[in-house]
Amino acid sequence: GSIQLVMFNGLMTLISKISFTEDRDSVDNYGIGQMPTSYGNKNFVYGGSLEIQLDQLNEIQKSAPFGKILMIPPFSIKMILGISPDSGQPDGSAPANYKLNNCRFTKNEFNAKQNDSSIFVNLPFKFAGLVQG
């Protein structure tokens, strides 16, 4: 109740979960001997996933090039956290905002079983930049 996601210029109401990671490898460098003498940082890598209801996914696919979500041009995901009127923020603090830039879906997989009352699909994605605030 306290998370909003905006994608494709609209509020996404049928997404039950979003997760994302910001990763960066840091490797040891060696000189003479077996102990590291320094370290080097590698590039940042960003990834995530959405858990989206099949009905919402079908709407996105209808407007995707050739009906393929993997062909959608890069897009942004805006998240607003802590917007519920019952969030219990007596100090009047503002909601947290995040923006994931240059998002693109990397896999379209489907899993369902008999007697599911609603079907949610996990959609992995990559992105290129995280802005907070």
Side-chain angles (χ1 to χ4, degrees):
S2 64
I3 299 174
Q4 282 188 352
L5 290 179
V6 178
M7 296 168 48
F8 310 118
N9 295 320
L11 180 65
M12 299 283 115
T13 59
L14 299 177
I15 294 175
S16 65
K17 179 181 177 182
I18 183 168
S19 61
F20 63 89
T21 60
E22 180 179 36
D23 192 17
R24 184 179 191 194
D25 281 341
S26 181
V27 296
D28 290 332
N29 298 320
Y30 294 86
I32 295 175
Q34 296 179 345
M35 302 301 272
T37 58
S38 65
Y39 68 92
N41 289 322
K42 295 195 173 190
N43 293 335
F44 287 92
V45 178
Y46 301 98
S49 66
L50 294 173
E51 193 170 278
I52 186 170
Q53 196 169 36
L54 184 61
D55 296 340
Q56 185 92 72
L57 177 59
N58 288 339
E59 291 300 313
I60 293 170
Q61 281 182 311
K62 284 180 190 175
S63 60
F66 305 103
K68 303 278 186 192
I69 64 166
L70 301 181
M71 295 182 74
I72 295 173
F75 57 92
S76 295
I77 299 175
K78 297 176 187 171
M79 291 180 289
I80 306 168
L81 310 174
I83 53 149
S84 175
D86 61 340
S87 64
Q89 296 175 344
D91 60 355
S93 59
N97 295 297
Y98 294 92
K99 183 177 179 186
L100 310 178
N101 293 315
N102 297 308
C103 301
R104 60 242 181 253
F105 295 118
T106 58
K107 187 183 276 190
N108 186 7
E109 65 181 342
F110 178 82
N111 289 300
K113 63 184 182 310
Q114 192 273 335
N115 204 33
D116 283 347
S117 61
S118 63
I119 298 172
F120 283 85
V121 178
N122 187 51
L123 291 178
F125 63 89
K126 294 283 186 181
F127 63 102
L130 172 64
V131 180
Q132 187 175 1

